[in-house]
Coordinates of all heavy atoms in Angstrom, one line a residue:
M7 N 81.6 79.6 76.7 CA 80.8 78.4 77.0 C 79.4 78.9 77.3 O 79.1 80.0 78.0 CB 81.4 77.9 78.4 CG 80.6 76.8 78.9 SD 81.2 76.1 80.6 CE 82.7 75.6 80.1
S8 N 78.4 78.2 76.7 CA 77.0 78.7 77.0 C 76.5 77.8 78.1 O 77.0 76.6 78.4 CB 76.2 78.5 75.6 OG 76.1 77.1 75.3
V9 N 75.5 78.4 78.8 CA 74.8 77.7 79.9 C 73.7 76.9 79.3 O 72.8 77.3 78.6 CB 74.2 78.8 80.9 CG1 73.4 77.9 82.0 CG2 75.3 79.5 81.4
P10 N 73.7 75.6 79.5 CA 72.6 74.7 79.0 C 71.3 75.0 79.5 O 71.2 75.8 80.5 CB 73.1 73.3 79.3 CG 74.4 73.4 80.1 CD 74.7 74.9 80.2
E11 N 70.2 74.5 78.9 CA 68.9 74.9 79.3 C 68.6 74.6 80.7 O 67.9 75.2 81.4 CB 67.9 74.1 78.4 CG 66.5 74.6 78.2 CD 65.8 74.0 77.3 OE1 66.0 74.3 76.0 OE2 65.0 73.1 77.6
H12 N 69.2 73.4 81.2 CA 68.9 73.0 82.7 C 69.7 73.8 83.7 O 69.5 73.7 84.9 CB 69.2 71.6 82.8 CG 70.5 71.1 82.4 ND1 71.6 71.4 83.0 CD2 70.9 70.4 81.3 CE1 72.7 70.9 82.5 NE2 72.3 70.2 81.4
G13 N 70.6 74.8 83.2 CA 71.2 75.8 84.1 C 72.4 75.2 84.8 O 73.1 75.8 85.5
W14 N 73.0 74.0 84.3 CA 74.2 73.5 84.9 C 75.3 73.7 83.9 O 75.1 73.7 82.7 CB 74.1 72.0 85.1 CG 73.2 71.6 86.2 CD1 71.9 72.1 86.4 CD2 73.4 70.7 87.2 NE1 71.3 71.6 87.4 CE2 72.1 70.7 88.0 CE3 74.4 69.9 87.6 CZ2 72.0 69.9 89.1 CZ3 74.3 69.1 88.7 CH2 73.1 69.0 89.5
I15 N 76.5 74.0 84.4 CA 77.7 74.0 83.6 C 78.6 72.9 84.0 O 78.9 72.8 85.2 CB 78.5 75.4 83.8 CG1 77.5 76.6 83.3 CG2 79.7 75.4 83.0 CD1 78.2 77.9 83.7
R16 N 79.0 72.1 83.0 CA 79.9 71.0 83.3 C 81.3 71.4 83.2 O 81.6 72.3 82.3 CB 79.7 69.9 82.3 CG 78.4 69.1 82.6 CD 78.4 67.9 81.6 NE 77.2 67.2 82.0 CZ 77.3 65.9 82.2 NH1 78.3 65.2 82.2 NH2 76.2 65.2 82.5
S17 N 82.2 71.0 84.1 CA 83.6 71.3 84.0 C 84.4 70.0 84.4 O 83.8 69.3 85.1 CB 83.9 72.5 84.8 OG 83.8 72.2 86.2
R18 N 85.5 70.0 83.8 CA 86.3 68.8 84.2 C 87.1 69.2 85.5 O 87.7 70.2 85.6 CB 87.4 68.6 83.1 CG 88.2 67.3 83.4 CD 89.1 67.2 82.2 NE 88.3 66.9 81.0 CZ 88.6 66.0 80.1 NH1 89.5 65.1 80.4 NH2 87.8 65.8 79.0
L19 N 87.1 68.3 86.5 CA 87.7 68.6 87.8 C 88.9 67.6 87.8 O 88.9 66.4 87.5 CB 86.9 68.2 88.9 CG 85.6 69.2 89.0 CD1 84.8 68.7 90.1 CD2 86.0 70.6 89.2
R20 N 90.1 68.2 88.3 CA 91.2 67.4 88.5 C 91.4 67.3 90.1 O 91.5 68.3 90.7 CB 92.5 67.9 87.8 CG 93.5 67.0 87.8 CD 94.6 67.5 86.9 NE 95.3 68.8 87.6 CZ 96.4 69.3 87.1 NH1 97.0 69.0 86.0 NH2 96.9 70.3 87.8
F21 N 91.7 66.0 90.6 CA 91.8 65.9 92.0 C 93.3 65.7 92.3 O 94.0 65.0 91.6 CB 91.0 64.8 92.6 CG 89.6 65.0 92.3 CD1 88.9 64.4 91.3 CD2 88.9 65.6 93.3 CE1 87.5 64.7 91.2 CE2 87.5 66.0 93.3 CZ 86.8 65.4 92.2
A22 N 93.8 66.4 93.3 CA 95.3 66.3 93.5 C 95.5 66.6 95.1 O 94.6 67.2 95.7 CB 96.0 67.5 92.9
Q23 N 96.5 66.1 95.5 CA 96.9 66.4 96.9 C 97.8 67.5 97.1 O 98.9 67.6 96.3 CB 97.5 65.0 97.5 CG 97.8 65.2 99.1 CD 98.2 63.8 99.6 OE1 98.6 63.0 98.9 NE2 98.2 63.8 100.9
W24 N 97.5 68.5 97.8 CA 98.3 69.6 98.1 C 98.8 69.8 99.5 O 98.4 69.3 100.4 CB 97.5 70.9 97.9 CG 97.1 71.1 96.4 CD1 96.2 70.4 95.7 CD2 97.7 72.0 95.4 NE1 96.1 70.9 94.4 CE2 97.1 71.8 94.2 CE3 98.7 73.0 95.5 CZ2 97.3 72.5 93.1 CZ3 99.0 73.7 94.4 CH2 98.4 73.5 93.2
A25 N 100.0 70.5 99.7 CA 100.6 70.7 101.0 C 101.0 72.2 101.1 O 101.4 72.8 100.1 CB 101.7 69.9 101.2
L26 N 100.9 72.7 102.3 CA 101.3 74.0 102.6 C 102.7 74.0 103.3 O 102.9 73.2 104.2 CB 100.5 74.8 103.5 CG 99.2 75.4 102.8 CD1 98.3 76.1 103.9 CD2 99.5 76.2 101.6
T27 N 103.7 74.8 102.9 CA 105.0 74.9 103.7 C 105.1 76.5 103.9 O 104.7 77.3 103.2 CB 106.2 74.4 102.8 OG1 106.2 75.0 101.6 CG2 106.0 72.9 102.6
N28 N 106.1 76.8 104.9 CA 106.3 78.2 105.2 C 107.2 78.8 104.1 O 108.1 77.9 103.6 CB 107.2 78.2 106.5 CG 106.3 78.0 107.8 OD1 105.2 78.5 107.9 ND2 106.9 77.3 108.6
E29 N 106.9 80.0 103.6 CA 107.6 80.5 102.5 C 108.6 81.5 103.1 O 108.2 82.6 103.6 CB 106.7 81.3 101.6 CG 107.3 82.0 100.4 CD 108.1 81.1 99.5 OE1 107.5 80.1 99.1 OE2 109.2 81.5 99.2
K30 N 109.9 81.1 103.2 CA 110.9 82.0 103.9 C 111.4 83.0 103.0 O 111.9 84.0 103.5 CB 111.9 81.0 104.4 CG 111.4 80.1 105.5 CD 112.5 79.3 106.2 CE 111.9 78.5 107.3 NZ 112.2 77.1 107.4
S31 N 111.2 82.9 101.7 CA 111.9 84.0 100.8 C 111.1 85.2 101.0 O 111.5 86.3 100.6 CB 111.8 83.4 99.4 OG 110.6 83.2 98.9
S32 N 109.8 85.2 101.5 CA 109.1 86.4 101.7 C 109.4 87.2 102.9 O 108.8 88.1 103.3 CB 107.6 86.1 101.6 OG 107.3 85.6 100.4
G33 N 110.4 86.6 103.8 CA 110.8 87.3 105.0 C 110.3 86.5 106.1 O 109.4 85.7 106.1
P34 N 110.8 87.0 107.3 CA 110.3 86.3 108.6 C 108.8 86.8 108.9 O 108.3 87.8 108.4 CB 111.3 86.8 109.6 CG 111.7 88.2 109.1 CD 111.7 88.0 107.6
P35 N 108.2 86.0 109.9 CA 106.9 86.4 110.3 C 106.9 87.9 110.9 O 107.9 88.2 111.6 CB 106.5 85.4 111.4 CG 107.3 84.2 111.2 CD 108.7 84.7 110.5
I36 N 105.9 88.6 110.7 CA 105.9 90.0 111.1 C 104.7 90.1 112.3 O 103.6 89.7 112.1 CB 105.4 90.9 109.9 CG1 106.4 90.9 108.9 CG2 105.2 92.4 110.5 CD1 105.9 91.5 107.6
H37 N 105.3 90.6 113.5 CA 104.5 90.7 114.6 C 104.0 92.2 114.7 O 104.7 93.1 114.4 CB 105.2 90.5 115.9 CG 105.8 89.0 115.9 ND1 106.8 88.7 115.0 CD2 105.5 88.0 116.6 CE1 107.1 87.3 115.3 NE2 106.2 86.8 116.2
G38 N 102.7 92.2 115.3 CA 102.2 93.6 115.4 C 101.1 93.5 116.5 O 100.5 92.5 116.7
T39 N 100.7 94.7 117.0 CA 99.6 94.9 117.8 C 98.7 95.9 117.3 O 99.2 97.0 116.8 CB 100.1 95.2 119.3 OG1 100.9 96.3 119.2 CG2 100.6 94.0 120.0
E40 N 97.4 95.9 117.6 CA 96.4 96.9 117.2 C 95.5 97.2 118.4 O 95.0 96.2 119.1 CB 95.6 96.4 116.1 CG 94.4 97.3 115.7 CD 93.6 96.7 114.6 OE1 93.8 95.5 114.1 OE2 92.7 97.3 114.1
C41 N 95.3 98.5 118.7 CA 94.4 98.9 119.7 C 93.0 98.5 119.3 O 92.5 99.1 118.1 CB 94.6 100.4 120.0 SG 93.3 100.9 121.2
V42 N 92.2 97.8 120.0 CA 90.8 97.5 119.6 C 89.9 98.7 119.7 O 88.9 98.8 119.0 CB 90.3 96.2 120.5 CG1 88.9 96.0 120.2 CG2 91.2 95.1 120.1
T43 N 90.2 99.6 120.6 CA 89.4 100.7 120.9 C 89.5 101.8 119.7 O 88.4 102.3 119.2 CB 89.9 101.5 122.2 OG1 89.8 100.5 123.2 CG2 89.0 102.6 122.5
C44 N 90.7 102.1 119.3 CA 90.8 103.2 118.3 C 91.4 102.8 117.0 O 91.4 103.5 116.0 CB 91.6 104.4 118.8 SG 93.4 104.0 119.1
G45 N 91.9 101.5 116.9 CA 92.4 101.1 115.6 C 93.8 101.4 115.4 O 94.4 101.0 114.3
E46 N 94.5 102.2 116.2 CA 95.9 102.5 116.0 C 96.7 101.3 116.0 O 96.5 100.3 116.9 CB 96.4 103.6 117.0 CG 97.6 104.3 116.6 CD 97.9 105.5 117.4 OE1 97.1 106.2 117.9 OE2 99.1 105.7 117.7
T47 N 97.8 101.1 115.3 CA 98.6 100.0 115.3 C 100.1 100.2 115.4 O 100.6 101.4 115.1 CB 98.5 99.2 113.8 OG1 99.0 100.2 112.8 CG2 97.1 98.8 113.6
S48 N 100.8 99.3 116.0 CA 102.2 99.4 116.1 C 102.9 99.2 114.8 O 102.3 98.8 113.8 CB 102.7 98.3 117.1 OG 102.6 97.0 116.5
Q49 N 104.2 99.4 114.7 CA 105.0 99.0 113.5 C 105.2 97.5 113.6 O 105.1 96.9 114.7 CB 106.3 99.8 113.5 CG 106.1 101.2 113.2 CD 107.4 101.9 113.1 OE1 108.6 101.3 113.5 NE2 107.4 103.1 112.4
G50 N 105.4 96.9 112.4 CA 105.7 95.5 112.4 C 107.0 95.3 112.8 O 107.9 96.1 112.6
A51 N 107.3 94.1 113.4 CA 108.6 93.7 113.9 C 108.7 92.2 113.8 O 107.9 91.4 113.7 CB 108.8 94.1 115.4
D52 N 110.1 91.8 113.9 CA 110.5 90.4 113.9 C 110.0 89.7 115.1 O 110.0 88.3 115.1 CB 111.9 90.2 113.6 CG 112.3 90.6 112.2 OD1 111.4 90.9 111.4 OD2 113.5 90.8 112.0
D53 N 109.8 90.2 116.2 CA 109.3 89.6 117.4 C 108.4 90.4 118.2 O 107.9 91.5 117.7 CB 110.5 89.3 118.4 CG 111.3 90.5 118.7 OD1 110.7 91.6 118.9 OD2 112.5 90.4 119.0
W54 N 107.9 90.0 119.4 CA 106.8 90.7 120.1 C 107.3 91.9 120.8 O 106.4 92.8 121.2 CB 106.1 89.7 121.0 CG 105.2 88.8 120.4 CD1 105.4 87.4 120.3 CD2 104.0 89.1 119.8 NE1 104.3 86.9 119.6 CE2 103.4 87.9 119.2 CE3 103.2 90.3 119.5 CZ2 102.3 87.8 118.5 CZ3 102.1 90.1 118.7 CH2 101.6 89.0 118.3
E55 N 108.6 92.1 121.2 CA 109.0 93.1 122.0 C 108.6 94.5 121.7 O 107.9 95.2 122.5 CB 110.5 93.0 122.2 CG 111.0 94.0 123.3 CD 112.6 93.8 123.4 OE1 113.1 92.9 123.0 OE2 113.1 94.8 124.1
G56 N 108.9 95.0 120.5 CA 108.5 96.3 120.0 C 107.0 96.5 120.1 O 106.5 97.5 120.6
P57 N 106.1 95.6 119.4 CA 104.7 95.9 119.4 C 104.1 95.8 120.8 O 103.2 96.6 121.1 CB 104.2 94.6 118.6 CG 105.5 94.3 117.6 CD 106.6 94.5 118.6
Q58 N 104.6 94.9 121.7 CA 104.1 95.1 123.1 C 104.5 96.3 123.9 O 103.7 96.7 124.5 CB 104.5 93.7 123.7 CG 103.8 92.5 123.3 CD 104.2 91.2 123.9 OE1 105.2 91.1 124.5 NE2 103.4 90.1 123.8
T59 N 105.7 96.7 123.6 CA 106.1 97.9 124.3 C 105.2 99.1 123.8 O 104.8 100.0 124.5 CB 107.6 98.2 124.0 OG1 108.3 97.2 124.5 CG2 108.1 99.6 124.5
W60 N 105.0 99.0 122.5 CA 104.1 100.2 121.9 C 102.7 100.1 122.6 O 102.2 101.1 122.9 CB 103.9 99.9 120.4 CG 103.0 100.8 119.7 CD1 103.1 102.0 119.3 CD2 101.5 100.7 119.7 NE1 102.0 102.7 119.0 CE2 101.0 101.8 119.1 CE3 100.7 99.5 120.0 CZ2 99.6 101.9 118.9 CZ3 99.3 99.6 119.6 CH2 98.8 100.8 119.2
A61 N 102.1 98.8 122.8 CA 100.7 98.6 123.3 C 100.8 99.2 124.8 O 99.9 99.9 125.2 CB 100.4 97.1 123.3
L62 N 101.8 98.9 125.5 CA 102.0 99.4 127.0 C 102.0 101.0 126.9 O 101.3 101.6 127.8 CB 103.0 98.9 127.7 CG 103.0 97.3 128.0 CD1 104.3 96.8 128.5 CD2 101.8 97.0 128.9
R63 N 102.8 101.6 126.0 CA 102.9 103.0 125.9 C 101.6 103.6 125.5 O 101.1 104.6 126.1 CB 104.0 103.4 124.9 CG 104.2 104.9 124.9 CD 105.5 105.2 123.9 NE 106.7 104.5 124.5 CZ 107.4 103.7 123.8 NH1 107.3 103.4 122.6 NH2 108.5 103.2 124.5
H64 N 100.8 102.9 124.5 CA 99.6 103.5 124.1 C 98.6 103.4 125.2 O 97.8 104.3 125.3 CB 99.1 102.5 122.9 CG 97.9 103.1 122.2 ND1 97.8 104.1 121.4 CD2 96.7 102.7 122.3 CE1 96.6 104.3 121.0 NE2 95.8 103.4 121.6
A65 N 98.6 102.3 126.0 CA 97.7 102.2 127.2 C 97.8 103.3 128.1 O 96.9 104.0 128.6 CB 97.8 100.9 127.9
G66 N 99.2 103.7 128.4 CA 99.5 104.7 129.3 C 99.1 106.2 128.9 O 98.6 106.9 129.6
Q67 N 99.1 106.4 127.5 CA 98.8 107.7 126.9 C 97.3 107.8 126.7 O 96.8 108.9 126.8 CB 99.5 107.7 125.6 CG 101.0 108.0 125.7 CD 101.8 107.8 124.3 OE1 101.2 107.5 123.3 NE2 103.0 108.2 124.4
T68 N 96.6 106.7 126.5 CA 95.1 106.8 126.0 C 94.2 106.1 127.1 O 93.0 106.7 127.1 CB 94.8 106.1 124.7 OG1 95.2 104.8 124.9 CG2 95.7 106.6 123.6
G69 N 94.6 105.3 127.8 CA 93.7 104.6 128.7 C 93.1 103.4 128.1 O 92.3 102.6 128.5
H70 N 93.4 103.1 126.7 CA 92.8 102.1 126.0 C 93.6 100.8 126.4 O 94.9 100.7 126.5 CB 93.1 102.2 124.4 CG 92.4 103.4 123.9 ND1 92.8 104.0 122.7 CD2 91.5 104.2 124.5 CE1 92.0 105.1 122.5 NE2 91.1 105.2 123.5
T71 N 92.9 99.7 126.7 CA 93.5 98.6 127.4 C 93.4 97.3 126.6 O 93.9 96.2 127.1 CB 93.0 98.4 128.8 OG1 91.6 98.2 128.7 CG2 93.3 99.6 129.7
L72 N 92.6 97.2 125.5 CA 92.5 95.9 124.8 C 93.2 96.0 123.6 O 92.9 96.8 122.7 CB 91.0 95.7 124.6 CG 90.6 94.3 123.9 CD1 91.2 93.1 124.7 CD2 89.2 94.1 123.7
F73 N 94.1 95.1 123.2 CA 94.9 95.0 121.9 C 94.8 93.6 121.2 O 94.6 92.6 122.0 CB 96.4 95.3 122.3 CG 96.5 96.5 122.9 CD1 96.5 96.8 124.3 CD2 96.8 97.8 122.1 CE1 96.5 98.1 124.8 CE2 96.9 99.0 122.6 CZ 96.9 99.2 124.1
R74 N 94.9 93.6 119.9 CA 94.9 92.5 119.2 C 96.3 92.2 118.7 O 96.9 93.2 118.0 CB 94.0 92.6 118.0 CG 94.0 91.4 117.0 CD 93.0 91.6 115.9 NE 92.4 92.8 115.6 CZ 91.1 93.2 115.8 NH1 90.4 92.2 116.2 NH2 90.7 94.4 115.5
G75 N 96.8 91.1 118.9 CA 98.2 90.8 118.4 C 98.1 89.9 117.1 O 97.2 89.1 117.0
T76 N 98.9 90.3 116.2 CA 98.9 89.5 114.9 C 100.2 89.1 114.5 O 101.3 89.8 114.9 CB 98.3 90.5 113.7 OG1 99.1 91.6 113.6 CG2 96.9 90.9 114.0
V77 N 100.3 87.9 113.9 CA 101.5 87.4 113.3 C 101.2 87.2 111.8 O 100.3 86.4 111.5 CB 102.1 86.2 113.9 CG1 103.3 85.7 113.3 CG2 102.3 86.4 115.4
T78 N 101.9 87.8 110.9 CA 101.7 87.6 109.5 C 102.8 86.8 108.9 O 104.0 87.2 109.0 CB 101.5 89.0 108.7 OG1 100.6 89.7 109.3 CG2 101.4 88.8 107.3
S79 N 102.5 85.7 108.3 CA 103.6 85.0 107.6 C 103.0 84.4 106.3 O 101.8 84.5 106.0 CB 103.9 83.8 108.5 OG 102.9 83.1 108.8
Y80 N 103.9 83.9 105.4 CA 103.6 83.5 104.1 C 103.6 82.0 104.1 O 104.6 81.3 104.6 CB 104.3 84.1 103.1 CG 104.3 85.6 103.0 CD1 105.0 86.4 103.9 CD2 103.3 86.2 102.2 CE1 104.8 87.8 103.9 CE2 103.1 87.6 102.2 CZ 103.9 88.4 103.0 OH 103.8 89.7 103.0
F81 N 102.8 81.4 103.3 CA 102.7 79.9 103.0 C 102.9 79.8 101.5 O 102.2 80.5 100.7 CB 101.6 79.2 103.6 CG 101.5 79.3 105.1 CD1 100.7 80.3 105.6 CD2 102.2 78.5 105.9 CE1 100.6 80.4 107.1 CE2 102.1 78.6 107.3 CZ 101.4 79.6 107.9
R82 N 103.3 78.6 101.0 CA 103.4 78.3 99.6 C 102.6 77.0 99.5 O 102.9 76.0 100.3 CB 104.9 78.0 99.3 CG 105.0 77.6 97.9 CD 104.8 78.7 96.8 NE 105.7 79.7 96.9 CZ 105.6 80.9 96.1 NH1 104.6 81.0 95.4 NH2 106.5 81.7 96.3
A83 N 101.7 76.9 98.6 CA 101.0 75.7 98.3 C 101.8 74.9 97.2 O 102.1 75.5 96.2 CB 99.5 76.0 97.9
S84 N 101.8 73.6 97.3 CA 102.6 72.8 96.3 C 101.8 71.6 96.1 O 101.3 70.9 97.0 CB 104.0 72.4 96.8 OG 104.8 73.6 97.1
M85 N 101.7 71.3 94.9 CA 100.9 70.0 94.5 C 101.9 68.8 94.8 O 103.0 68.8 94.3 CB 100.6 70.1 93.0 CG 99.6 68.8 92.7 SD 99.3 68.8 90.9 CE 98.5 70.2 90.6
L86 N 101.4 67.8 95.5 CA 102.3 66.7 95.8 C 102.1 65.7 94.8 O 103.0 65.0 94.3 CB 101.9 66.2 97.2 CG 102.3 67.1 98.4 CD1 101.8 66.5 99.7 CD2 103.7 67.5 98.4
E87 N 100.8 65.5 94.5 CA 100.5 64.2 93.7 C 99.1 64.4 93.1 O 98.1 64.9 93.6 CB 100.4 63.0 94.6 CG 99.8 61.8 94.1 CD 99.8 60.7 95.3 OE1 100.1 60.9 96.4 OE2 99.6 59.6 94.9
V88 N 99.0 64.1 91.8 CA 97.7 64.1 91.1 C 97.0 62.8 91.3 O 97.6 61.7 91.4 CB 97.8 64.3 89.5 CG1 96.5 64.1 88.9 CG2 98.5 65.6 89.4
L89 N 95.8 62.8 91.9 CA 95.1 61.5 92.3 C 94.1 61.1 91.1 O 93.7 61.8 90.3 CB 94.2 61.8 93.5 CG 94.9 62.3 94.7 CD1 94.0 62.7 95.8 CD2 96.0 61.4 95.2
Ligands
ZN10 ZN1 93.8 103.2 121.1

């Protein structure tokens, strides 16, 4: 496709309605904690217990006291209807 003299490229757009749903086939949500001071991270787990225990242990060993909690999950986008 060449760029016309006026610098615009035309394209055909299709409008559709999309929705997100939880993608369970990729596994359950993964919980984790990360030390904001040094970047060390806990192992991922199915709930908060392990990552929070790791954070408390890390605080006791290093004196680092600020942690970031993360939950990683997957979503699937599906087209509902072409508008
Ligand atoms: Zn740390």
Side-chain angles (χ1 to χ4, degrees):
M7 176 186 296
S8 64
V9 178
E11 197 170 285
H12 53 70
W14 292 46
I15 299 175
R16 284 185 177 232
S17 63
R18 182 182 299 233
L19 298 177
R20 188 170 76 171
F21 295 96
Q23 186 173 15
W24 289 76
L26 285 179
T27 54
N28 288 319
E29 177 62 47
K30 295 184 173 133
S31 66
S32 299
I36 301 167
H37 299 70
T39 49
E40 176 185 2
C41 175
V42 173
T43 304
C44 72
E46 198 170 325
T47 58
S48 71
Q49 291 189 339
D52 291 345
D53 58 29
W54 285 113
E55 185 176 344
Q58 289 180 341
T59 300
W60 175 87
L62 293 172
R63 188 173 296 125
H64 186 78
Q67 293 170 344
T68 63
H70 301 161
T71 58
L72 183 59
F73 297 88
R74 178 183 7 251
T76 60
V77 178
T78 303
S79 59
Y80 296 89
F81 298 96
R82 174 78 60 190
S84 304
M85 186 186 300
L86 297 178
E87 164 183 15
V88 176
L89 302 175

